[in-house]
């Protein structure tokens, strides 16, 4: 990008704005979720499925999964710190571990879908649940793709202390995915 | 011949940063064939994939139109984008391919066909945006005319209710999602980077992708005509939207593509504004359009995801069977409206704020005054944007939403009128005591002030809960929104299009057609939409195909108004196309604007600036001596630094018509622009060179009297050659050829005008002069009047020779006065005969003089010189009197003349010998 002295890095600014936009997308989905939740507040929570049983979410398993995802953010941060001191190998290691942890999160989440015992076609709550977690899963996938591209470039020694914009942008995105999940976990699973 | 960016002066080899400009060699057809295969391939792939998945998992039914249509629309759109090459660079990059920062092979166009392929030049993308959005405006406009035709009379005319709903849904959807929202992206794309002193947008490839999202969105909407039109209006409220045809799914997908386009462009604009400003361009020196685009972009980035969310939810309900909007399954319909309006109210400002920016530019330029309250203008836009996020539920006062939300939303809605009022008053204060130039862009700006004011005031009505409950879903709302969007979007877009048309195309539009377009649209708008206020208050519901017969008259009138709007649009497109193709060449700065885009050529060179401009002051310092916005150095061939008072040459070719009022009026009208210097060229083939000299001297004197800067020469040779040489030598911006009508013009008989057109690169204007106008010497009043007194010399060749000699010595007009001193009775035979003879002689003299290019008229008077001359001097007020006497009579005439003359000099010439009695 043509960069002029004294100005912000355009690519990082764009990533921050994009993340802002993505946050608003999740905000709209959370709005939907809360309207549905408010609508059944006078009955019971968790609401009842079509077969009369209450919706049950595997909170403990998801807590572990949440910790994996949160930890992956710290691993990525560690990898970037390694690059800052010129340790490209450290960056590659950090990226590999982050990608593996993110992949684990996705697989655990898909496994959870398979064993939940309700489908998106159940009552409105299930639609909101699958939409929120599904959208988040798609974002994790995008984050993994971005990190994989960075990994490929890290193997080519493209990044250095002075040039790391794509890596920084990808890591912003990964932290965003992480933070949204923490929100989602608290708002949908815990409370 | 249309010219396209890059301007020829900056064509390949011009040396930009030392690298040559290589164009991608693949022809336009390559990309479209690839896009065709991409689309068809993706659609077939999605069918196959769905079929396999549904058979494996045993979904019933195996074929579900909504599901197949939805997935095929999504993947087909992506396939199209791939085929157009939108992703090529990133795919290449992600495979580790070789990339170069200096690869500009998709930048700029060298012929009009290349506008139909992927391009990364912000100027090309700007024009692509405008052409595409105006195309969708026409589609939406046709829908509007169909609606008005159906409503022309009570009862059903040609459409059934469902079709009518389809028309109105398609009308609103096209107008909002692929016209009103993205059209400003087109104008800002073209203008904003230049205004900021940047070479391009921050992300040119993303910019190209944002544009190509639009045709996908628009054609998904339009495709629904073939799959069953969506008919739940642009708001697509469930449960209506849950029930509609396959078109509804395509609508939801189209909105996603349009939204993605909007977000990507907005991010691009913000990155450009924040990081790409030229040195010295502080945020308080940015033109208001940059502020407007920035604020709009913040709205687009943070609000658009909400409509994406709302359309995802309805689509999931439709194709996945979720129950977001099924109340007995725990769904909530009001929730849709909240999410939808949380975008769609800010979207109103997305459709208005850039227009406010354009109007600020236009009004300051055409009022020749600094923009009043620059900072207040900027802050009020920020305030509108912030408040705009807090008013969404005023669209839902009757929806059954939480009742406590009504009053807070009413209060914020009314508060938002305050910053809007600040802007309105600032525009008026800018106009106050300005030197207004009522060119087409300014007319649109003034039309905007009037129309938008009415829309804004009815908006306050609508914002007040009890009033809104009364008028909800009536034509009052229709009137309000059309006043707001016609005024705030359509008028401002047209103002911007006319304002920057010379910059974008390098050609001037036709001012007369532009004014016709404005007045037809303005009157049409008021006729079509003003009566709707009354209709709404009387209770006529909107979005219904039939109505109570008592509304018949008013609906018929509105239909007539809407047809006026249609005709105006035809005039607009005719003007745009013909002017781009063959309009007069535009100078760099036709409006004497101060902002940076007027300091580069029209159209601008490939990378806008040859050297980075240095901004040194505010953008609107009109009328402040020595105030400068920026220092820009032009290339050498344009003479170094650009001065604001540079005049550009226009060549005028005429001979017999040179002194005519028609031609002189034409030159004066052009001169009023303050941009041109005129070179008059008189081609003489084998006629009288002296006559040509004389006509030229007369015309130059008249023009000088009017303050027109002009030079002239007589040139020997064929008119075509002379004109072509003069145009080339002067680097003329335009050649004006004046001729008599075909029946009397040798030039016209030999097709000279067309031949000149072919022989020169400059645009040609043909001025047709009526024969009697060519004979009467024009603008004569501007020249000093010389009175020639003669009696016996009337009709003699010597008199004509004398007058010619005087005319050559000093440009003047002449009146030949013949005091006859007729014998009594003056009605007698003798007197009548004398009068007749003198009249014939006078006619002969005047004709002889007029045919040789002298401005002259004649007057035969009955009385003796002692009576007649005081009358003549009193009537004509000559600046000099010449007595053309034959021998003895000269003295008597001179005495009478001197007695009558007062302090007017009298000169006596004896032409007796020459006249030979």
């Amino acid at each position: 990008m043509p960069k002029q002295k004294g100005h912000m890095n355009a690519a990082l600014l764009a990533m921050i704005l994009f993340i802002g936009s993505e946050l608003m997308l999740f905000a709209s989905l959370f709005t939907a979720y809360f309207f549905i939740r408010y609508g059944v507040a006078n009955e019971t929570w968790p609401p009842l499925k079509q077969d009369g049983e209450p919706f049950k979410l595997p909170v403990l398993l998801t807590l572990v999964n949440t910790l994996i995802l949160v930890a992956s953010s710290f691993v990525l941060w560690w990898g970037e710190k390694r690059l800052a001191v010129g340790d490209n190998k450290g960056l590659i290691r950090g990226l590999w571990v982050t990608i593996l942890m993110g992949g684990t999160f996705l697989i655990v989440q898909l496994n959870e879908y398979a064993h939940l015992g309700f489908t998106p076609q159940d009552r409105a709550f299930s639609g909101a649940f699958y939409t929120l977690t599904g959208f988040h899963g798609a974002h994790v996938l995008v984050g993994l793709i971005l990190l994989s591209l960075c990994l490929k470039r890290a193997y080519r020694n493209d990044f250095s202390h002075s040039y790391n914009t794509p890596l920084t942008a990808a890591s912003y995105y990964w932290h965003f995915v992480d933070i949204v999940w923490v929100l989602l976990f608290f708002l949908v699973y815990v409370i | 011949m249309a010219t396209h960016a890059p301007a020829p002066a900056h064509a390949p080899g011009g040396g930009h940063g030392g690298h040559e400009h290589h164009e991608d060699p693949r022809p336009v057809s390559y990309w479209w064939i690839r896009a065709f295969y991409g689309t068809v391939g993706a659609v077939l792939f999605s069918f196959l994939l769905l079929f396999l998945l549904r058979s494996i998992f045993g979904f019933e039914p195996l074929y579900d139109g909504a599901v197949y249509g939805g997935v095929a629309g999504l993947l087909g759109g992506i396939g199209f984008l791939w085929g157009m090459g939108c992703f090529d660079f990133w795919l290449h990059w992600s495979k580790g391919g070789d990339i170069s920062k200096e690869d500009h092979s998709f930048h700029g166009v060298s012929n009009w066909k290349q506008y139909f392929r992927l391009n990364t030049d912000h100027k090309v993308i700007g024009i692509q945006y405008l052409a595409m959005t105006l195309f969708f405006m026409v589609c939406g406009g046709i829908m509007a005319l169909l609606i008005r035709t159906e409503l022309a009379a009570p009862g059903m005319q040609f459409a059934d209710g469902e079709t009518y709903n389809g028309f109105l849904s398609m009308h609103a959807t096209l107008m909002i999602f692929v016209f009103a929202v993205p059209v400003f992206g087109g104008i800002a794309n073209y203008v904003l980077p230049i205004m900021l002193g940047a070479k391009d947008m921050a992300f040119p490839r993303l910019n190209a992708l944002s544009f190509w999202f639009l045709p996908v969105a628009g054609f998904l909407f339009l495709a629904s005509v073939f799959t069953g039109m969506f008919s739940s209006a642009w708001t697509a409220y469930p449960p209506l939207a849950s029930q509609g045809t396959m078109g509804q799914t395509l609508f939801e997908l189209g909105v996603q593509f349009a939204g993605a386009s909007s977000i990507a462009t907005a991010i691009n604009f913000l990155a450009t504004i924040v990081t790409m400003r030229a040195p010295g361009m502080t945020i308080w020196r940015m033109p208001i359009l940059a502020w407007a685009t920035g604020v709009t972009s913040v709205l687009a980035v943070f609000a658009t995801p909400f409509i994406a969310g709302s359309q995802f939810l309805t689509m999931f309900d439709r194709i996945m069977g979720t129950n977001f909007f099924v109340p007995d399954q725990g769904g909530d319909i009001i929730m849709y409206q909240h999410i939808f309006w949380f975008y769609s109210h800010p979207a109103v400002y997305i459709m208005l704020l850039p227009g406010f920016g354009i109007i600020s530019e236009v009004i300051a330029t055409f009022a020749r005054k600094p923009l009043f309250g620059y900072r207040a203008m900027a802050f009020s836009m920020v305030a509108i944007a912030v408040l705009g996020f807090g008013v969404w539920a005023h669209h839902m006062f009757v929806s059954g939403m939480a009742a406590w939300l009504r009053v807070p939303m009413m209060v914020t809605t009314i508060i938002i009128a305050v910053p809007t009022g600040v802007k309105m008053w600032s525009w008026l204060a800018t106009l106050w005591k300005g030197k207004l130039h009522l060119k087409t862009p300014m007319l649109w700006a003034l039309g905007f002030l009037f129309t938008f004011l009415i829309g804004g005031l009815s908006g306050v009505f609508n914002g007040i809960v009890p009033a809104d409950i009364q008028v909800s879903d009536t034509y009052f709302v229709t009137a309000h929104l059309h006043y707001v969007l016609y005024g705030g979007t359509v008028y401002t877009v047209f103002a911007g299009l006319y304002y920057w048309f010379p910059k974008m195309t390098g050609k001037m539009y036709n001012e007369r057609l532009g004014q016709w377009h404005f007045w037809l649209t303005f009157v049409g708008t008021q006729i079509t939409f003003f009566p709707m206020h009354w209709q709404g208050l009387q209770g006529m519901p909107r979005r219904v195909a039939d109505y109570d017969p008592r509304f018949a008259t008013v609906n018929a009138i509105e239909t007539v108004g809407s047809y006026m709007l249609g005709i105006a649009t035809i005039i607009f497109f005719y003007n745009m196309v013909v002017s781009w193709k063959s309009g007069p060449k535009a100078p760099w700065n036709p409006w004497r604007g101060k902002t940076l885009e007027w300091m580069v050529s029209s159209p601008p060179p490939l990378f806008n600036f040859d050297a980075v401009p240095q901004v040194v002051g505010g953008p609107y310092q009109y009328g402040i001596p020595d105030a400068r916005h920026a220092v820009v150095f032009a290339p050498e061939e344009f003479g170094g630094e650009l001065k604001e008072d540079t005049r550009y040459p226009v060549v005028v070719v005429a001979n017999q018509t040179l002194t005519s009022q028609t031609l002189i009026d034409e030159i004066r009208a052009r001169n009023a622009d303050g941009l041109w210097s005129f070179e008059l060229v008189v081609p003489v083939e084998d006629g009288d060179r002296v006559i040509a000299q004389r006509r030229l001297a007369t015309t130059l004197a008249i023009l000088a009297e009017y303050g027109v800067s002009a030079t002239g020469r007589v040139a020997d040779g064929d008119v075509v050659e002379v004109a072509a040489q003069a145009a080339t030598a002067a680097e003329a911006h335009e050649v004006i050829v004046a001729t008599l009508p075909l029946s009397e013009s040798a030039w016209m008989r030999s097709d000279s005008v067309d031949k000149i057109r072919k022989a020169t690169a400059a645009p040609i204007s043909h001025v047709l002069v009526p024969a009697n106008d060519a004979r009467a010497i024009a603008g004569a009043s501007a020249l000093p009047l010389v009175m020639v007194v003669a009696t016996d010399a009337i009709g003699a060749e010597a008199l004509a020779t004398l007058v010619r000699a005087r005319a050559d010595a000093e440009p003047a007009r002449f009146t030949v006065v013949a005091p006859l001193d007729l014998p009594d009775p003056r009605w007698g035979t003798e007197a009548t005969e004398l009068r007749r003879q003198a009249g014939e002689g006078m006619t002969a003299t005047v004709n002889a003089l007029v045919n040789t290019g002298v401005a002259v008229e004649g007057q035969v008077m009955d009385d003796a010189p002692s009576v007649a001359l005081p009358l003549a001097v009193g009537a004509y007020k000559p600046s000099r009197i010449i007595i053309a006497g034959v021998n003895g009579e000269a003295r008597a005439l001179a005495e009478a003349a001197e007695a009558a003359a007062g302090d007017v000099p009298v000169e006596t010439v004896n032409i007796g010998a020459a006249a030979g009695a």
Side-chain angles (χ1 to χ4, degrees):
Chain A
M1 266 332 99
K3 190 184 159 191
Q4 283 171 11
K5 244 189 188 165
H7 284 310
M8 266 167 120
N9 183 327
L12 289 184
L13 173 66
M15 182 47 95
I16 291 167
L17 288 169
F18 180 63
I19 288 171
S21 190
E22 293 274 50
L23 272 175
M24 291 304 278
L25 177 64
F26 279 101
S28 75
L29 299 178
F30 277 122
T31 308
Y33 165 74
F34 275 108
F35 266 97
I36 289 164
R37 185 168 176 155
Y38 176 80
V40 294
N42 296 334
E43 306 165 20
T44 50
W45 191 264
L48 302 180
K49 291 191 279 191
Q50 275 169 347
D51 58 12
E53 295 288 308
F55 283 105
K56 256 199 190 135
L57 299 173
V59 181
L60 209 60
L61 175 68
T62 313
L63 178 65
V64 175
N65 212 11
T66 307
L67 291 177
I68 291 174
L69 195 64
V70 171
S72 78
S73 254
F74 285 96
V75 174
L76 182 59
W77 175 71
W78 174 82
E80 284 183 284
K81 294 286 270 188
R82 294 314 302 164
L83 180 70
V85 296
D87 178 8
N88 198 51
K89 269 249 163 57
L91 172 67
I92 291 173
R93 281 198 198 113
L95 281 171
W96 264 119
V97 175
T98 311
I99 290 168
L100 289 175
M101 290 169 93
T104 309
F105 171 87
L106 267 190
I107 290 165
V108 172
Q109 198 61 29
L110 282 174
N111 181 57
E112 183 185 311
Y113 281 178
H115 295 97
L116 270 176
F118 60 86
T119 64
Q121 288 80 20
D122 212 304
R123 302 195 64 182
F125 171 80
S126 71
F129 171 81
Y130 274 102
T131 304
L132 271 167
T133 52
F135 263 91
H136 180 264
H139 281 76
V140 173
L141 192 63
V142 171
L144 287 177
I145 292 170
L146 292 180
L147 290 177
S148 308
L149 291 172
C150 287
L151 182 62
K152 188 173 175 181
R153 292 190 72 178
Y155 270 115
R156 289 197 322 211
N157 278 320
D158 273 6
F159 299 125
S160 66
H161 176 59
S162 56
Y163 175 71
N164 51 16
T165 307
L167 178 67
T168 316
S171 81
Y172 283 2
Y173 192 82
W174 190 253
H175 298 321
F176 146 75
V177 166
D178 197 353
I179 290 165
V180 166
W181 179 257
V182 174
L183 271 175
L184 202 159
F185 178 67
F186 273 101
L187 295 178
V188 179
Y189 285 81
V190 178
I191 62 169
Chain B
M1 243 297 286
T3 43
H4 303 266
H10 307 273
H16 290 278
H19 59 269
E20 303 245 323
H21 182 239
H22 297 288
E23 237 169 47
D24 186 85
R26 286 168 284 191
V28 176
S29 57
Y30 166 84
W31 299 104
W32 282 94
I33 292 167
R34 213 177 92 158
F36 174 77
Y37 286 126
T39 315
V40 173
V43 168
L44 291 179
F45 170 76
S46 57
F47 284 168
L48 191 67
L49 182 76
L50 282 171
F51 180 79
L52 285 177
L53 285 178
R54 287 176 85 92
S55 19
I56 289 170
F57 292 103
F59 277 37
E60 286 296 329
L62 203 55
Y63 178 78
D64 178 342
V67 179
Y68 279 73
V71 178
L74 178 69
L75 293 188
I78 293 171
F80 172 81
L81 293 172
W82 168 81
M84 287 312 293
C86 295
F87 306 122
D88 279 16
F89 174 83
W90 293 308
L91 290 175
H92 182 64
W93 171 83
S94 65
K95 284 186 293 193
D98 202 20
I99 54 161
S100 157
K101 275 195 170 181
E102 302 302 327
D103 176 19
H104 299 296
S105 53
F106 286 93
H107 214 81
V109 290
S110 52
N111 63 59
W112 64 271
K113 285 181 193 147
Q114 292 183 328
Y115 281 104
F116 294 89
R117 73 159 167 83
L118 181 91
N119 210 301
T120 52
D121 183 351
H122 75 99
K123 298 185 286 296
V124 178
I125 293 173
I127 287 174
Q128 287 177 325
Y129 252 103
L130 287 171
M132 183 55 74
T133 49
L134 287 172
F135 168 77
F136 289 129
M137 181 196 80
V138 170
C139 297
I142 291 169
M143 294 295 158
L145 293 181
L146 290 172
I147 292 171
R148 282 306 334 162
T149 308
E150 172 58 44
L151 292 177
M156 304 307 283
Q157 317 309 316
F158 67 96
D160 57 39
E162 189 64 19
T163 316
Y164 177 85
N165 290 349
F167 289 157
L168 73 88
S169 306
M170 184 70 85
H171 165 68
T173 302
L174 291 175
M175 286 300 194
I176 287 170
F177 291 117
V178 285
F179 170 64
V181 171
V183 68
F184 291 115
I187 291 181
N189 237 309
Y190 199 102
V191 179
L192 187 72
I194 315 181
M195 272 186 163
L196 297 175
K199 295 190 176 198
D200 206 305
M201 297 277 279
F203 306 108
R205 296 185 191 93
L206 181 66
N207 201 13
L209 176 64
S210 328
F211 165 71
W212 287 98
F213 276 137
L214 274 189
V216 176
F219 285 101
L220 281 172
F221 295 144
L222 286 173
S224 76
V225 174
F226 304 104
T227 62
M229 266 154 98
F230 55 93
S231 49
S232 56
W234 77 284
T235 49
Y237 282 2
L240 257 184
S242 310
Q243 296 158 353
T245 57
M246 164 109 113
Q248 194 68 43
T249 310
L250 296 181
F251 164 85
E252 283 150 7
L253 273 174
V255 171
Q256 303 293 8
F257 277 102
S261 164
S262 194
I263 293 173
T265 315
I267 290 176
N268 213 339
F269 280 137
L270 284 171
T272 308
I273 292 171
V274 174
T275 66
M276 303 276 286
R277 300 193 310 275
M281 180 69 83
T282 62
I283 56 164
W284 296 117
R285 282 177 182 167
M286 290 198 306
I288 287 291
L289 182 64
W291 272 97
T293 310
V295 172
T296 308
S297 299
V298 172
L299 282 176
V301 167
F302 292 101
T304 315
F306 265 71
I307 195 165
S310 69
Q311 298 311 311
F312 276 129
L313 300 184
T314 27
M315 189 150 80
F316 291 161
D317 263 18
R318 287 174 60 80
I319 71 178
M320 269 170 45
T322 55
N323 294 310
F324 285 106
F325 306 118
V326 183
D328 61 0
Q329 295 295 331
D332 188 343
I333 286 172
I334 305 290
M335 173 258 283
Y336 174 88
Q337 299 184 22
H338 279 292
I339 298 179
F340 175 83
W341 285 114
F342 194 78
Y343 163 73
S344 294
H345 194 82
V348 174
Y349 300 109
I350 295 176
M351 296 178 238
L352 294 179
L353 289 179
F356 292 175
I358 292 170
I359 292 305
S360 304
E361 304 292 326
V362 169
I363 285 187
T365 306
F366 288 95
R368 311 308 298 166
K369 271 182 63 191
L371 188 68
F372 185 90
Y374 170 91
R375 290 194 181 207
M377 286 285 221
F379 278 128
S380 59
M381 273 190 293
V382 175
I384 289 173
V386 172
L387 287 168
F389 275 109
V391 300
W392 77 90
H394 68 207
H395 295 270
M396 303 162 57
F397 285 152
V398 296
S399 69
M401 66 170 187
W404 60 267
L405 205 48
R406 282 176 168 178
V407 172
M409 287 292 165
M410 175 176 87
V411 172
T412 49
T413 303
I414 295 170
I415 289 175
I416 218 166
V418 174
T420 317
V422 168
K423 301 193 75 66
M424 196 54 103
W425 287 110
S426 296
W427 287 318
L428 291 178
T430 310
L431 291 173
W432 181 255
K433 292 191 178 175
K435 189 171 183 295
L436 303 192
H437 293 254
L438 293 179
K439 298 276 186 183
T440 309
M442 184 62 157
L443 289 177
W444 286 107
L446 298 177
F448 155 81
L449 292 182
F450 179 83
T451 311
F452 185 74
L453 178 67
I454 294 177
L457 291 177
S458 61
V460 178
F461 281 60
N462 282 327
I464 295 169
V465 176
D468 184 74
I469 290 172
Q470 171 69 21
V471 299
S472 254
D473 281 329
T474 69
Y475 265 77
F476 191 85
V477 178
T478 311
H480 161 69
L481 77 93
H482 281 93
Y483 263 91
V484 168
L485 290 182
Y486 243 99
T489 307
V490 178
Y491 284 22
T492 58
V493 164
F494 283 138
L497 275 175
Y498 282 106
Y499 184 58
W500 284 297
F501 183 83
K503 182 55 60 186
M504 293 178 180
T505 63
K507 301 294 179 72
M508 296 302 290
Y509 62 86
N510 184 312
E511 182 69 34
R512 189 177 300 168
L513 288 179
Q515 302 212 356
W516 267 99
H517 175 212
F518 168 75
W519 283 111
L520 272 176
T521 308
F522 183 74
V523 174
T525 313
Q526 315 305 332
I527 293 179
T528 311
F529 300 115
F530 198 80
M532 288 183 185
H533 291 110
W534 174 81
Q535 256 167 293
L537 291 173
Q538 291 290 314
M540 178 167 158
R542 61 191 286 218
R543 291 172 176 159
V544 179
D546 194 5
Y547 51 84
D548 192 292
R550 73 193 156 109
F551 296 118
T553 316
V554 75
N555 269 293
I557 293 171
E558 285 163 6
T559 300
V560 171
S562 72
Y563 290 162
M564 275 175 76
L565 294 171
I567 293 166
T569 311
I570 293 172
I571 294 177
F572 163 72
F573 278 102
Y574 174 83
N575 193 3
M576 292 293 113
V577 171
V578 172
S579 300
W580 193 355
K581 198 160 173 287
S582 52
K585 214 164 139 185
W588 289 28
N589 189 358
W591 318 124
R592 288 287 183 257
K594 294 268 189 189
T595 41
L596 269 167
E597 80 272 23
W598 301 113
M599 297 190 173
V600 295
S601 59
S602 303
L606 189 56
F607 294 99
N608 301 345
F609 299 95
D610 290 279
V612 178
Q614 171 70 45
V615 180
V616 294
Y620 302 116
Q621 299 169 328
Y622 294 102
I624 298 170
D626 298 328
R628 302 194 69 172
H629 176 50
V631 182
V632 178
F633 281 89
E636 282 307 312
E637 59 265 35
F638 288 94
E641 194 192 342
L642 179 73
K643 306 270 194 317
E644 278 186 23
D645 53 358
T646 318
R647 283 175 180 265
Y648 306 89
V650 171
V651 168
V652 182
V653 180
N655 187 348
Q656 284 168 296
T657 55
L658 190 60
T659 52
S660 66
Q661 191 71 46
T662 313
L663 180 60
I664 285 175
D665 285 349
E666 183 77 26
I667 294 174
R668 286 183 65 195
R670 268 159 224 259
N671 187 61
D673 296 343
L675 302 170
W676 317 104
S677 65
F678 299 89
E679 186 187 4
L680 313 186
V681 178
V682 192
V684 177
E685 207 154 358
D686 35 38
D688 187 349
R689 210 186 144 89
V690 182
I691 300 176
Q693 286 284 13
R694 196 174 290 133
R695 287 198 182 113
L696 182 61
T698 309
T699 304
L700 285 176
I702 294 168
L703 288 177
E705 199 67 29
Y706 288 130
V708 178
S709 129
T711 58
R713 64 193 167 86
V714 175
D716 291 303
D718 176 58
V719 56
V720 178
E721 283 168 28
V722 168
Q725 278 165 10
T728 315
E731 289 183 20
H733 274 242
E734 187 184 2
V735 177
I736 301 174
V737 184
T739 70
L740 293 167
L742 179 62
S743 57
E744 304 177 47
S745 165
W747 290 359
M748 288 291 280
R749 278 196 293 277
S750 58
D751 266 345
S752 298
V753 177
D754 281 335
K755 285 179 185 162
I756 296 170
R757 208 186 296 277
K758 281 172 193 147
T760 69
I764 309 290
S765 302
H766 180 207
V767 176
L768 197 61
V769 180
N772 54 353
D773 182 30
R775 283 173 53 84
I777 301 259
S781 56
L783 292 178
L785 180 85
V786 177
M787 191 162 97
V788 179
V789 183
T791 48
D792 294 354
I794 293 295
E797 182 54 36
L799 178 62
T801 311
L802 168 75
V803 176
R804 265 186 222 120
R806 293 308 164 108
D808 290 347
E810 179 197 11
R813 64 197 164 108
F814 297 86
T815 296
V816 180
V817 175
L820 295 181
D821 194 10
L822 293 176
D824 283 329
R826 297 215 167 140
W827 40 266
T829 324
E830 189 192 359
T832 309
E833 177 59 18
L834 283 171
R835 202 185 280 121
R836 191 189 60 77
Q837 278 174 6
E840 276 178 4
M842 186 64 89
T843 308
T845 298
V846 168
N847 276 346
L849 287 169
V850 165
N851 287 341
T852 51
V854 179
V856 70
E857 53 191 35
Q859 170 84 40
V860 176
M861 301 179 86
D862 286 0
D863 292 309
S866 54
V867 182
L869 290 183
L871 285 174
V873 170
Y876 291 116
K877 301 193 172 54
S879 61
R880 164 184 285 278
I881 301 173
I882 298 173
I883 308 297
V886 177
N887 304 331
E889 63 150 10
R891 189 176 166 73
L893 283 176
E895 274 169 16
E898 263 160 22
D903 47 4
V904 180
V906 179
E907 181 191 354
T908 309
V909 180
N910 187 339
I911 56 170

